[in-house]
Amino acid sequence: SSEAICNLVICNDSSLRSQPIIFNPDFFVEKLRHEKPEVFTELVVSNITRLIDLPGAELAQLMGEEDPKLPGANSTASGFFRSLMSLKRKEKGVVFGSPLTEEGIAQVSQLIEYLHKNLRAEGLFRVPGNSIRQQILKDALNSGTDIDLDSGEFHSNDVATLLKMFLGELPEPLLTHKHFHAHLKIADLMLFDEKGNKTSTPDKERQIEALQLLFLILPAPNRSLLKLLLDLLYQTAKKQDKNKMSAHNLALMFAPHILWPRNVTANDLQENITKLNNGVTFMIKHSQKLFKAPAYIRECARLHYLGSRAHTSKDDLDLLTSPGSKELQPLKSQKRSRLDSCHQEETQQRTEEALRELFRHVHNMPDSAKKKKLIRQFNKHPSALTPSSDVATPPAPRRARSRSFSGLIKRKVLGTPVIQERKSRDTTPEPKRVSKENVHLLQKCGSPAHMSQGKLKSLEGQKEESCRRMRAHLLSKDSSSL
Protein backbone atom coordinates (compact mmCIF):
# COMPACT_ATOMS: atom_id res chain seq x y z
CA SER A 1 0.00 0.00 0.00
CA SER A 2 1.20 3.46 -0.94
CA GLU A 3 0.15 4.78 2.46
CA ALA A 4 1.94 2.08 4.40
CA ILE A 5 4.85 2.74 6.72
CA CYS A 6 8.11 1.46 5.31
CA ASN A 7 10.60 0.09 7.82
CA LEU A 8 13.61 1.11 5.74
CA VAL A 9 16.66 2.39 7.65
CA ILE A 10 19.32 4.37 5.84
CA CYS A 11 21.48 5.48 8.79
CA ASN A 12 23.98 3.26 10.61
CA ASP A 13 22.81 4.18 14.10
CA SER A 14 21.58 0.95 15.66
CA SER A 15 19.41 2.88 18.14
CA LEU A 16 17.32 4.25 15.27
CA ARG A 17 16.79 0.99 13.38
CA SER A 18 13.63 0.19 15.32
CA GLN A 19 12.06 3.56 14.45
CA PRO A 20 9.65 3.49 11.50
CA ILE A 21 10.28 5.86 8.61
CA ILE A 22 7.20 7.22 6.88
CA PHE A 23 7.45 7.06 3.11
CA ASN A 24 5.81 9.90 1.20
CA PRO A 25 3.91 8.35 -1.72
CA ASP A 26 4.04 11.67 -3.60
CA PHE A 27 7.83 11.98 -3.31
CA PHE A 28 8.51 11.56 -7.03
CA VAL A 29 5.52 13.77 -7.87
CA GLU A 30 6.91 16.65 -5.80
CA LYS A 31 10.39 16.02 -7.12
CA LEU A 32 9.18 16.24 -10.70
CA ARG A 33 7.11 19.34 -9.94
CA HIS A 34 10.11 21.26 -8.53
CA GLU A 35 12.86 20.02 -10.83
CA LYS A 36 10.99 19.87 -14.15
CA PRO A 37 7.89 22.05 -13.89
CA GLU A 38 7.26 22.11 -17.66
CA VAL A 39 7.29 18.32 -17.91
CA PHE A 40 5.11 18.05 -14.82
CA THR A 41 2.55 20.54 -16.13
CA GLU A 42 2.37 18.80 -19.49
CA LEU A 43 1.80 15.46 -17.76
CA VAL A 44 -1.01 16.76 -15.56
CA VAL A 45 -2.75 18.89 -18.19
CA SER A 46 -2.78 16.02 -20.69
CA ASN A 47 -4.76 14.00 -18.16
CA ILE A 48 -7.06 16.91 -17.30
CA THR A 49 -8.06 17.26 -20.95
CA ARG A 50 -8.88 13.56 -20.93
CA LEU A 51 -11.59 14.23 -18.35
CA ILE A 52 -12.98 17.62 -19.37
CA ASP A 53 -13.33 19.31 -22.73
CA LEU A 54 -11.29 22.51 -22.86
CA PRO A 55 -11.33 24.45 -26.14
CA GLY A 56 -8.10 25.93 -27.44
CA ALA A 57 -8.48 29.31 -25.75
CA GLU A 58 -9.41 27.85 -22.36
CA LEU A 59 -6.59 25.33 -22.57
CA ALA A 60 -4.11 28.11 -23.37
CA GLN A 61 -5.40 30.03 -20.34
CA LEU A 62 -4.96 26.99 -18.12
CA MET A 63 -1.39 26.58 -19.36
CA GLY A 64 -0.70 30.27 -18.76
CA GLU A 65 -0.08 30.98 -22.44
CA GLU A 66 -2.92 33.53 -22.64
CA ASP A 67 -4.49 35.93 -20.19
CA PRO A 68 -7.73 34.50 -18.80
CA LYS A 69 -10.95 35.95 -20.20
CA LEU A 70 -13.27 36.28 -17.23
CA PRO A 71 -16.91 37.27 -16.90
CA GLY A 72 -17.41 41.01 -16.42
CA ALA A 73 -13.90 41.82 -17.64
CA ASN A 74 -15.19 43.83 -20.63
CA SER A 75 -18.04 45.46 -18.73
CA THR A 76 -17.90 49.23 -18.29
CA ALA A 77 -20.13 49.15 -15.24
CA SER A 78 -18.48 50.31 -12.04
CA GLY A 79 -20.81 49.57 -9.16
CA PHE A 80 -20.25 50.46 -5.56
CA PHE A 81 -19.15 46.91 -4.67
CA ARG A 82 -16.54 46.78 -7.40
CA SER A 83 -15.11 50.21 -6.54
CA LEU A 84 -14.99 49.39 -2.85
CA MET A 85 -13.11 46.13 -3.38
CA SER A 86 -10.67 47.85 -5.73
CA LEU A 87 -9.91 50.54 -3.14
CA LYS A 88 -9.34 47.94 -0.45
CA ARG A 89 -6.75 46.10 -2.52
CA LYS A 90 -4.76 49.26 -3.14
CA GLU A 91 -3.93 49.43 0.57
CA LYS A 92 -1.45 46.58 0.59
CA GLY A 93 0.12 45.38 3.77
CA VAL A 94 2.71 42.74 4.54
CA VAL A 95 0.01 40.06 4.70
CA PHE A 96 -3.35 41.50 3.70
CA GLY A 97 -3.73 42.66 0.09
CA SER A 98 -0.33 41.26 -0.96
CA PRO A 99 0.37 38.30 -3.24
CA LEU A 100 0.34 35.03 -1.38
CA THR A 101 3.69 34.12 0.17
CA GLU A 102 4.94 31.57 2.65
CA GLU A 103 5.28 34.33 5.23
CA GLY A 104 1.67 35.32 4.76
CA ILE A 105 0.58 31.68 5.07
CA ALA A 106 2.54 31.36 8.31
CA GLN A 107 0.73 34.36 9.77
CA VAL A 108 -2.74 33.25 8.62
CA SER A 109 -2.18 29.70 9.83
CA GLN A 110 -2.42 31.10 13.37
CA LEU A 111 -6.02 32.03 12.64
CA ILE A 112 -6.78 28.58 11.20
CA GLU A 113 -5.17 26.81 14.13
CA TYR A 114 -7.23 28.87 16.59
CA LEU A 115 -10.50 28.20 14.74
CA HIS A 116 -9.89 24.42 14.88
CA LYS A 117 -10.24 24.76 18.65
CA ASN A 118 -13.46 26.79 18.45
CA LEU A 119 -15.66 25.09 15.86
CA ARG A 120 -18.74 24.96 18.08
CA ALA A 121 -19.56 28.67 17.85
CA GLU A 122 -22.99 29.05 16.28
CA GLY A 123 -22.99 30.84 12.95
CA LEU A 124 -19.23 30.56 12.55
CA PHE A 125 -18.10 32.41 9.36
CA ARG A 126 -21.61 33.81 8.98
CA VAL A 127 -21.96 36.04 12.04
CA PRO A 128 -19.62 39.07 11.75
CA GLY A 129 -17.31 39.89 14.63
CA ASN A 130 -16.35 43.18 16.21
CA SER A 131 -14.77 45.55 13.65
CA ILE A 132 -12.44 47.21 16.21
CA ARG A 133 -11.01 43.92 17.44
CA GLN A 134 -10.65 42.77 13.84
CA GLN A 135 -8.60 45.87 12.92
CA ILE A 136 -6.30 45.36 15.91
CA LEU A 137 -5.75 41.76 14.92
CA LYS A 138 -5.19 42.72 11.29
CA ASP A 139 -2.52 45.28 12.18
CA ALA A 140 -0.78 42.75 14.38
CA LEU A 141 -0.65 40.21 11.59
CA ASN A 142 0.64 42.77 9.10
CA SER A 143 3.39 43.88 11.46
CA GLY A 144 4.44 40.31 12.19
CA THR A 145 4.10 40.63 15.97
CA ASP A 146 3.30 37.63 18.11
CA ILE A 147 -0.39 37.21 18.88
CA ASP A 148 -1.86 35.28 21.77
CA LEU A 149 -5.27 34.31 20.44
CA ASP A 150 -5.96 32.12 23.45
CA SER A 151 -5.82 35.08 25.83
CA GLY A 152 -9.56 35.66 25.44
CA GLU A 153 -9.16 39.11 23.93
CA PHE A 154 -10.59 38.00 20.57
CA HIS A 155 -13.77 36.10 19.77
CA SER A 156 -13.95 33.19 17.33
CA ASN A 157 -16.25 35.24 15.08
CA ASP A 158 -13.58 37.99 14.93
CA VAL A 159 -10.99 35.47 13.76
CA ALA A 160 -13.35 33.80 11.26
CA THR A 161 -14.31 37.12 9.67
CA LEU A 162 -10.67 38.21 9.46
CA LEU A 163 -9.80 34.95 7.65
CA LYS A 164 -12.47 35.65 5.02
CA MET A 165 -11.17 39.21 4.72
CA PHE A 166 -7.65 37.96 4.09
CA LEU A 167 -8.84 35.67 1.28
CA GLY A 168 -11.01 38.39 -0.24
CA GLU A 169 -8.14 40.88 -0.41
CA LEU A 170 -5.77 38.61 -2.31
CA PRO A 171 -4.90 40.02 -5.78
CA GLU A 172 -6.56 36.94 -7.35
CA PRO A 173 -8.73 34.18 -5.90
CA LEU A 174 -7.05 31.30 -4.12
CA LEU A 175 -7.96 28.94 -6.98
CA THR A 176 -6.52 31.47 -9.51
CA HIS A 177 -8.07 33.04 -12.58
CA LYS A 178 -6.41 30.52 -14.90
CA HIS A 179 -8.42 27.66 -13.41
CA PHE A 180 -11.81 29.40 -13.47
CA HIS A 181 -13.12 27.81 -16.69
CA ALA A 182 -11.79 24.38 -15.69
CA HIS A 183 -13.83 24.48 -12.47
CA LEU A 184 -16.97 25.30 -14.46
CA LYS A 185 -16.34 22.25 -16.67
CA ILE A 186 -15.70 20.00 -13.66
CA ALA A 187 -19.05 21.04 -12.18
CA ASP A 188 -20.70 19.82 -15.41
CA LEU A 189 -19.31 16.27 -15.17
CA MET A 190 -22.39 14.07 -14.99
CA LEU A 191 -23.10 10.36 -15.22
CA PHE A 192 -24.50 8.74 -18.38
CA ASP A 193 -27.37 6.29 -18.56
CA GLU A 194 -27.40 2.94 -20.36
CA LYS A 195 -28.29 4.62 -23.67
CA GLY A 196 -25.36 7.04 -23.41
CA ASN A 197 -27.48 10.07 -22.52
CA LYS A 198 -26.20 12.58 -19.98
CA THR A 199 -28.08 12.57 -16.68
CA SER A 200 -28.36 15.16 -13.92
CA THR A 201 -26.45 12.99 -11.43
CA PRO A 202 -22.88 14.26 -10.79
CA ASP A 203 -20.05 11.89 -11.67
CA LYS A 204 -18.27 12.10 -8.33
CA GLU A 205 -15.35 9.87 -9.24
CA ARG A 206 -14.42 11.90 -12.31
CA GLN A 207 -14.92 15.16 -10.43
CA ILE A 208 -12.56 14.04 -7.66
CA GLU A 209 -9.96 12.89 -10.19
CA ALA A 210 -10.19 16.18 -12.13
CA LEU A 211 -9.84 18.25 -8.95
CA GLN A 212 -6.85 16.18 -7.85
CA LEU A 213 -5.14 16.95 -11.14
CA LEU A 214 -6.12 20.61 -11.12
CA PHE A 215 -4.83 21.12 -7.58
CA LEU A 216 -1.48 19.61 -8.61
CA ILE A 217 -0.73 22.52 -10.94
CA LEU A 218 -1.73 25.24 -8.48
CA PRO A 219 1.14 27.43 -7.28
CA ALA A 220 2.72 25.87 -4.21
CA PRO A 221 1.58 28.62 -1.74
CA ASN A 222 -1.99 28.48 -3.08
CA ARG A 223 -2.10 24.72 -2.76
CA SER A 224 -0.73 24.78 0.80
CA LEU A 225 -3.24 27.37 2.01
CA LEU A 226 -6.12 25.70 0.14
CA LYS A 227 -5.39 22.43 1.92
CA LEU A 228 -5.39 24.15 5.33
CA LEU A 229 -8.60 26.01 4.53
CA LEU A 230 -10.60 23.06 3.13
CA ASP A 231 -9.57 20.88 6.06
CA LEU A 232 -10.85 23.59 8.44
CA LEU A 233 -14.16 23.86 6.58
CA TYR A 234 -14.49 20.06 6.49
CA GLN A 235 -14.08 19.87 10.25
CA THR A 236 -16.52 22.77 10.69
CA ALA A 237 -19.19 21.00 8.62
CA LYS A 238 -18.75 17.85 10.70
CA LYS A 239 -19.93 19.86 13.72
CA GLN A 240 -22.90 21.47 12.01
CA ASP A 241 -25.20 20.20 14.74
CA LYS A 242 -23.46 22.74 17.05
CA ASN A 243 -22.46 25.60 14.75
CA LYS A 244 -25.38 25.28 12.29
CA MET A 245 -23.00 25.57 9.33
CA SER A 246 -23.32 22.84 6.69
CA ALA A 247 -20.93 22.34 3.78
CA HIS A 248 -23.31 24.22 1.48
CA ASN A 249 -23.60 27.16 3.91
CA LEU A 250 -19.84 27.37 4.18
CA ALA A 251 -19.54 27.26 0.38
CA LEU A 252 -21.84 30.29 0.11
CA MET A 253 -19.51 32.14 2.47
CA PHE A 254 -16.22 31.22 0.79
CA ALA A 255 -16.96 30.77 -2.94
CA PRO A 256 -16.75 34.54 -3.62
CA HIS A 257 -13.36 34.67 -1.92
CA ILE A 258 -11.60 31.58 -3.27
CA LEU A 259 -13.23 30.96 -6.69
CA TRP A 260 -15.07 33.98 -8.04
CA PRO A 261 -12.98 36.23 -10.29
CA ARG A 262 -11.98 39.53 -8.74
CA ASN A 263 -14.04 42.70 -9.28
CA VAL A 264 -17.18 40.81 -10.36
CA THR A 265 -20.63 40.73 -8.92
CA ALA A 266 -23.29 38.03 -8.83
CA ASN A 267 -24.91 39.63 -11.89
CA ASP A 268 -21.68 39.11 -13.87
CA LEU A 269 -21.72 35.39 -13.14
CA GLN A 270 -25.46 34.91 -13.75
CA GLU A 271 -26.11 31.18 -14.36
CA ASN A 272 -22.61 30.12 -13.29
CA ILE A 273 -23.06 31.16 -9.70
CA THR A 274 -24.90 27.95 -8.81
CA LYS A 275 -22.17 25.83 -10.41
CA LEU A 276 -19.46 27.69 -8.50
CA ASN A 277 -21.22 27.36 -5.15
CA ASN A 278 -21.92 23.66 -5.73
CA GLY A 279 -18.30 23.19 -6.75
CA VAL A 280 -17.00 24.62 -3.48
CA THR A 281 -19.52 22.49 -1.57
CA PHE A 282 -18.13 19.41 -3.30
CA MET A 283 -14.55 20.44 -2.42
CA ILE A 284 -15.45 20.77 1.26
CA LYS A 285 -17.19 17.39 1.43
CA HIS A 286 -14.36 15.52 -0.34
CA SER A 287 -11.40 17.58 0.86
CA GLN A 288 -9.68 14.54 2.40
CA LYS A 289 -9.25 12.98 -1.07
CA LEU A 290 -8.37 15.98 -3.21
CA PHE A 291 -4.74 16.49 -2.22
CA LYS A 292 -3.50 13.04 -3.15
CA ALA A 293 -1.98 12.61 -6.57
CA PRO A 294 -3.75 9.95 -8.67
CA ALA A 295 -1.97 6.61 -8.69
CA TYR A 296 -1.07 6.83 -12.38
CA ILE A 297 0.56 10.27 -11.85
CA ARG A 298 2.69 8.78 -9.08
CA GLU A 299 3.69 5.91 -11.30
CA CYS A 300 4.52 8.18 -14.24
CA ALA A 301 6.69 10.38 -12.02
CA ARG A 302 8.46 7.33 -10.59
CA LEU A 303 9.13 5.85 -14.00
CA HIS A 304 10.41 9.20 -15.22
CA TYR A 305 13.21 9.15 -12.64
CA LEU A 306 13.93 5.46 -12.86
CA GLY A 307 14.48 5.85 -16.58
CA SER A 308 12.11 3.03 -17.45
CA ARG A 309 9.77 5.14 -19.49
CA ALA A 310 8.96 8.77 -20.19
CA HIS A 311 5.80 10.34 -18.80
CA THR A 312 2.58 8.95 -20.19
CA SER A 313 -1.15 9.41 -19.82
CA LYS A 314 -3.41 7.19 -17.76
CA ASP A 315 -4.60 5.31 -20.87
CA ASP A 316 -1.02 4.46 -21.82
CA LEU A 317 -0.08 3.55 -18.25
CA ASP A 318 -2.93 1.06 -18.02
CA LEU A 319 -1.14 -0.98 -20.69
CA LEU A 320 2.05 -1.28 -18.63
CA THR A 321 2.76 -4.27 -16.46
CA SER A 322 3.28 -3.98 -12.75
CA PRO A 323 6.62 -2.43 -11.70
CA GLY A 324 7.87 -5.63 -10.08
CA SER A 325 7.39 -7.72 -13.20
CA LYS A 326 8.84 -5.20 -15.66
CA GLU A 327 12.41 -6.44 -15.29
CA LEU A 328 11.33 -10.06 -15.65
CA GLN A 329 9.42 -9.44 -18.86
CA PRO A 330 12.30 -10.36 -21.28
CA LEU A 331 13.00 -13.59 -19.38
CA LYS A 332 9.33 -14.51 -19.34
CA SER A 333 8.98 -13.88 -23.07
CA GLN A 334 12.07 -16.03 -23.84
CA LYS A 335 10.81 -18.84 -21.63
CA ARG A 336 7.37 -18.63 -23.21
CA SER A 337 8.85 -18.79 -26.73
CA ARG A 338 10.91 -21.86 -25.80
CA LEU A 339 7.86 -23.58 -24.37
CA ASP A 340 5.85 -22.73 -27.46
CA SER A 341 8.53 -24.13 -29.78
CA CYS A 342 8.80 -27.33 -27.73
CA HIS A 343 5.04 -27.71 -27.78
CA GLN A 344 4.96 -27.22 -31.55
CA GLU A 345 7.71 -29.80 -32.08
CA GLU A 346 5.92 -32.32 -29.87
CA THR A 347 2.66 -31.76 -31.71
CA GLN A 348 4.45 -32.13 -35.07
CA GLN A 349 5.99 -35.44 -34.01
CA ARG A 350 2.67 -36.82 -32.82
CA THR A 351 1.01 -35.79 -36.09
CA GLU A 352 3.69 -37.44 -38.23
CA GLU A 353 3.57 -40.62 -36.16
CA ALA A 354 -0.22 -40.80 -36.52
CA LEU A 355 0.09 -40.27 -40.29
CA ARG A 356 2.67 -43.04 -40.59
CA GLU A 357 0.42 -45.45 -38.74
CA LEU A 358 -2.50 -44.55 -40.95
CA PHE A 359 -0.34 -44.87 -44.07
CA ARG A 360 0.75 -48.39 -43.06
CA HIS A 361 -2.85 -49.37 -42.45
CA VAL A 362 -3.90 -48.13 -45.89
CA HIS A 363 -1.10 -50.06 -47.67
CA ASN A 364 -2.04 -53.25 -45.85
CA MET A 365 -5.56 -53.00 -47.22
CA PRO A 366 -6.45 -55.25 -50.18
CA ASP A 367 -6.29 -53.67 -53.62
CA SER A 368 -9.43 -51.70 -54.34
CA ALA A 369 -10.65 -48.38 -55.69
CA LYS A 370 -10.97 -47.07 -52.12
CA LYS A 371 -7.31 -47.90 -51.42
CA LYS A 372 -6.19 -46.05 -54.54
CA LYS A 373 -8.29 -43.02 -53.56
CA LEU A 374 -6.76 -42.93 -50.07
CA ILE A 375 -3.24 -43.16 -51.49
CA ARG A 376 -3.96 -40.27 -53.84
CA GLN A 377 -5.13 -38.20 -50.85
CA PHE A 378 -1.89 -38.99 -49.04
CA ASN A 379 0.10 -37.85 -52.05
CA LYS A 380 -1.64 -34.45 -51.96
CA HIS A 381 -0.21 -33.67 -48.50
CA PRO A 382 3.11 -31.81 -48.11
CA SER A 383 6.14 -34.00 -48.19
CA ALA A 384 6.90 -33.17 -44.54
CA LEU A 385 3.67 -34.85 -43.43
CA THR A 386 3.65 -37.76 -45.93
CA PRO A 387 5.50 -40.76 -44.52
CA SER A 388 6.57 -42.04 -47.92
CA SER A 389 10.09 -42.81 -46.73
CA ASP A 390 8.93 -45.37 -44.18
CA VAL A 391 6.65 -47.46 -46.40
CA ALA A 392 7.61 -48.12 -49.99
CA THR A 393 4.73 -48.06 -52.40
CA PRO A 394 4.62 -51.37 -54.29
CA PRO A 395 4.87 -50.92 -58.06
CA ALA A 396 1.65 -51.47 -59.94
CA PRO A 397 1.71 -54.72 -61.93
CA ARG A 398 2.16 -54.19 -65.68
CA ARG A 399 -0.74 -55.41 -67.69
CA ALA A 400 0.24 -58.00 -70.33
CA ARG A 401 -0.20 -56.82 -73.86
CA SER A 402 -1.93 -59.00 -76.45
CA ARG A 403 0.24 -60.26 -79.28
CA SER A 404 -1.42 -59.32 -82.55
CA PHE A 405 -0.45 -60.42 -86.06
CA SER A 406 0.52 -56.91 -87.09
CA GLY A 407 2.70 -56.62 -84.00
CA LEU A 408 4.62 -59.75 -84.98
CA ILE A 409 5.18 -58.34 -88.48
CA LYS A 410 6.50 -55.06 -87.06
CA ARG A 411 8.88 -56.85 -84.70
CA LYS A 412 10.21 -59.03 -87.58
CA VAL A 413 10.61 -56.18 -90.02
CA LEU A 414 11.73 -53.32 -87.76
CA GLY A 415 13.62 -55.40 -85.26
CA THR A 416 12.40 -53.37 -82.19
CA PRO A 417 8.81 -53.26 -81.02
CA VAL A 418 7.20 -49.84 -80.77
CA ILE A 419 5.90 -49.78 -77.26
CA GLN A 420 3.80 -46.94 -76.02
CA GLU A 421 3.79 -46.82 -72.26
CA ARG A 422 0.50 -46.22 -70.50
CA LYS A 423 0.28 -42.75 -69.12
CA SER A 424 0.26 -42.55 -65.34
CA ARG A 425 -1.90 -40.09 -63.35
CA ASP A 426 0.83 -38.75 -61.09
CA THR A 427 3.96 -39.18 -63.27
CA THR A 428 5.03 -37.49 -66.46
CA PRO A 429 4.83 -39.65 -69.62
CA GLU A 430 8.08 -41.20 -70.81
CA PRO A 431 9.30 -40.27 -74.28
CA LYS A 432 8.21 -42.67 -77.06
CA ARG A 433 10.80 -45.25 -78.08
CA VAL A 434 11.79 -45.10 -81.70
CA SER A 435 13.11 -47.75 -84.02
CA LYS A 436 16.56 -47.85 -85.64
CA GLU A 437 15.07 -46.63 -88.87
CA ASN A 438 13.49 -43.63 -87.14
CA VAL A 439 16.75 -42.94 -85.33
CA HIS A 440 18.57 -43.03 -88.68
CA LEU A 441 16.04 -40.62 -90.17
CA LEU A 442 16.23 -38.31 -87.15
CA GLN A 443 20.00 -38.20 -87.40
CA LYS A 444 19.64 -37.04 -90.99
CA CYS A 445 16.90 -34.51 -90.40
CA GLY A 446 17.85 -33.29 -86.95
CA SER A 447 16.00 -33.49 -83.67
CA PRO A 448 12.19 -33.32 -83.62
CA ALA A 449 12.38 -29.95 -81.95
CA HIS A 450 14.11 -28.51 -85.04
CA MET A 451 12.02 -30.36 -87.66
CA SER A 452 9.10 -28.72 -89.31
CA GLN A 453 5.61 -30.19 -89.16
CA GLY A 454 5.75 -31.05 -92.89
CA LYS A 455 8.96 -33.07 -92.61
CA LEU A 456 7.53 -35.07 -89.70
CA LYS A 457 4.43 -35.94 -91.70
CA SER A 458 6.49 -37.01 -94.74
CA LEU A 459 8.64 -39.28 -92.60
CA GLU A 460 5.59 -40.91 -91.08
CA GLY A 461 4.13 -41.40 -94.56
CA GLN A 462 7.29 -43.04 -95.86
CA LYS A 463 7.33 -45.35 -92.87
CA GLU A 464 3.72 -46.43 -93.34
CA GLU A 465 4.24 -47.00 -97.07
CA SER A 466 7.26 -49.25 -96.51
CA CYS A 467 5.35 -51.25 -93.90
CA ARG A 468 2.39 -51.68 -96.27
CA ARG A 469 4.63 -52.97 -99.10
CA MET A 470 6.45 -55.39 -96.81
CA ARG A 471 3.17 -56.75 -95.45
CA ALA A 472 1.82 -57.33 -98.98
CA HIS A 473 5.05 -59.11 -99.99
CA LEU A 474 4.93 -61.45 -97.02
CA LEU A 475 1.27 -62.27 -97.54
CA SER A 476 1.86 -63.13 -101.17
CA LYS A 477 4.85 -65.31 -100.25
CA ASP A 478 2.88 -67.16 -97.59
CA SER A 479 -0.07 -67.78 -99.89
CA SER A 480 2.15 -69.21 -102.66
CA SER A 481 3.77 -71.60 -100.23
CA LEU A 482 0.37 -72.78 -99.07
Side-chain angles (χ1 to χ4, degrees):
S1 175
S2 59
E3 303 295 336
I5 295 177
C6 301
N7 295 318
L8 298 176
V9 179
I10 302 176
C11 61
N12 296 323
D13 191 351
S14 58
S15 62
L16 298 177
R17 291 182 180 176
S18 60
Q19 300 296 325
I21 298 177
I22 299 177
F23 173 70
N24 180 13
D26 290 346
F27 170 76
F28 288 108
V29 176
E30 297 300 326
K31 181 179 176 65
L32 186 62
R33 182 217 300 269
H34 291 289
E35 295 183 357
K36 299 180 180 180
E38 294 181 358
V39 175
F40 179 79
T41 302
E42 182 182 354
L43 166 65
V44 175
V45 171
S46 65
N47 284 278
I48 291 176
T49 55
R50 178 177 52 82
L51 296 172
I52 58 178
D53 181 24
L54 290 175
E58 295 180 3
L59 179 61
Q61 294 171 26
L62 181 63
M63 298 287 289
E65 299 172 355
E66 293 183 8
D67 293 333
K69 297 179 181 179
L70 305 171
N74 299 327
S75 176
T76 57
S78 56
F80 173 76
F81 175 79
R82 189 173 298 161
S83 300
L84 180 61
M85 294 303 295
S86 178
L87 289 173
K88 283 185 176 181
R89 291 190 186 92
K90 288 182 179 178
E91 300 174 359
K92 294 182 180 179
V94 177
V95 178
F96 287 79
S98 298
L100 194 59
T101 59
E102 295 295 339
E103 181 184 358
I105 294 175
Q107 290 289 81
V108 174
S109 63
Q110 298 178 73
L111 305 180
I112 296 175
E113 188 176 340
Y114 170 80
L115 290 173
H116 269 291
K117 304 174 186 177
N118 298 272
L119 297 177
R120 296 177 179 271
E122 186 174 345
L124 190 65
F125 297 111
R126 185 182 71 245
V127 178
N130 184 276
S131 59
I132 297 176
R133 292 195 300 263
Q134 291 173 13
Q135 187 62 42
I136 295 173
L137 185 57
K138 180 178 179 181
D139 293 338
L141 291 174
N142 271 329
S143 62
T145 58
D146 294 335
I147 305 172
D148 185 10
L149 295 175
D150 295 326
S151 63
E153 180 181 357
F154 303 100
H155 192 270
S156 56
N157 289 333
D158 301 333
V159 178
T161 304
L162 193 63
L163 177 60
K164 289 194 301 180
M165 186 185 301
F166 167 78
L167 295 171
E169 293 184 9
L170 289 173
E172 69 172 348
L174 189 60
L175 294 173
T176 72
H177 287 142
K178 296 191 303 182
H179 294 189
F180 176 74
H181 293 291
H183 282 288
L184 290 179
K185 295 294 178 67
I186 292 174
D188 282 333
L189 290 175
M190 300 295 171
L191 292 173
F192 293 87
D193 58 16
E194 297 177 354
K195 297 181 179 179
N197 299 321
K198 193 174 183 180
T199 65
S200 58
T201 306
D203 190 344
K204 295 182 180 180
E205 295 299 325
R206 290 174 65 198
Q207 287 180 339
I208 290 174
E209 183 182 351
L211 288 172
Q212 287 177 335
L213 294 169
L214 202 58
F215 288 176
L216 284 175
I217 56 176
L218 276 174
N222 295 57
R223 191 169 188 265
S224 300
L225 182 57
L226 180 65
K227 188 177 187 307
L228 294 174
L229 177 64
L230 290 182
D231 187 57
L232 172 65
L233 300 181
Y234 173 78
Q235 297 297 334
T236 304
K238 286 180 66 175
K239 292 182 172 57
Q240 60 178 319
D241 57 329
K242 302 293 183 181
N243 55 41
K244 311 302 180 183
M245 295 298 292
S246 64
H248 181 68
N249 293 336
L250 292 170
L252 295 177
M253 297 292 104
F254 280 89
H257 301 299
I258 68 174
L259 186 54
W260 289 18
R262 291 292 180 249
N263 301 332
V264 299
T265 63
N267 292 330
D268 296 327
L269 297 176
Q270 296 179 356
E271 297 179 358
N272 292 331
I273 190 170
T274 303
K275 292 182 182 179
L276 298 175
N277 293 336
N278 291 339
V280 177
T281 304
F282 186 84
M283 294 179 202
I284 294 173
K285 290 182 177 180
H286 301 277
S287 61
Q288 307 305 304
K289 303 177 182 178
L290 301 182
F291 295 92
K292 300 175 182 179
Y296 56 88
I297 295 292
R298 297 178 186 175
E299 186 66 10
C300 288
R302 188 185 70 84
L303 293 177
H304 182 90
Y305 281 100
L306 294 181
S308 301
R309 183 172 178 173
H311 59 276
T312 56
S313 67
K314 181 180 181 296
D315 296 333
D316 294 334
L317 195 64
D318 289 341
L319 301 177
L320 294 175
T321 56
S322 60
S325 62
K326 198 170 186 67
E327 294 80 3
L328 301 177
Q329 196 66 23
L331 296 176
K332 287 184 177 180
S333 60
Q334 293 177 5
K335 183 177 180 180
R336 189 181 296 109
S337 62
R338 287 198 298 268
L339 291 175
D340 292 343
S341 61
C342 293
H343 180 69
Q344 290 178 357
E345 291 178 0
E346 184 178 357
T347 304
Q348 183 79 5
Q349 291 177 358
R350 291 179 179 177
T351 303
E352 291 183 356
E353 185 176 350
L355 282 173
R356 291 191 189 96
E357 186 68 25
L358 181 61
F359 201 59
R360 293 190 189 96
H361 177 72
V362 170
H363 277 278
N364 292 331
M365 292 171 60
D367 293 340
S368 63
K370 184 176 181 181
K371 177 180 178 180
K372 293 179 180 180
K373 182 178 179 181
L374 291 174
I375 292 176
R376 285 197 302 270
Q377 290 179 354
F378 270 107
N379 292 333
K380 290 179 182 179
H381 283 279
S383 59
L385 296 178
T386 305
S388 56
S389 58
D390 293 349
V391 181
T393 305
R398 182 177 296 178
R399 191 170 60 182
R401 293 178 62 87
S402 61
R403 297 178 178 270
S404 62
F405 181 71
S406 60
L408 292 173
I409 294 175
K410 288 182 180 180
R411 279 193 290 274
K412 288 182 179 179
V413 175
L414 300 178
T416 304
V418 181
I419 303 173
Q420 183 178 3
E421 294 290 333
R422 182 173 57 88
K423 293 183 180 180
S424 176
R425 289 180 180 268
D426 303 320
T427 58
T428 58
E430 295 181 0
K432 185 187 291 186
R433 296 182 181 179
V434 296
S435 62
K436 292 181 179 180
E437 180 182 354
N438 290 342
V439 172
H440 181 68
L441 291 174
L442 288 175
Q443 289 176 353
K444 287 184 178 181
C445 301
S447 63
H450 296 85
M451 292 173 64
S452 64
Q453 193 69 18
K455 290 183 177 180
L456 288 174
K457 288 183 178 180
S458 62
L459 288 174
E460 290 294 334
Q462 293 177 8
K463 178 180 175 183
E464 292 294 333
E465 182 64 22
S466 61
C467 290
R468 186 180 60 80
R469 291 178 180 176
M470 184 62 68
R471 189 183 301 112
H473 177 71
L474 291 173
L475 287 173
S476 61
K477 186 176 180 181
D478 290 340
S479 59
S480 61
S481 61
L482 291 173

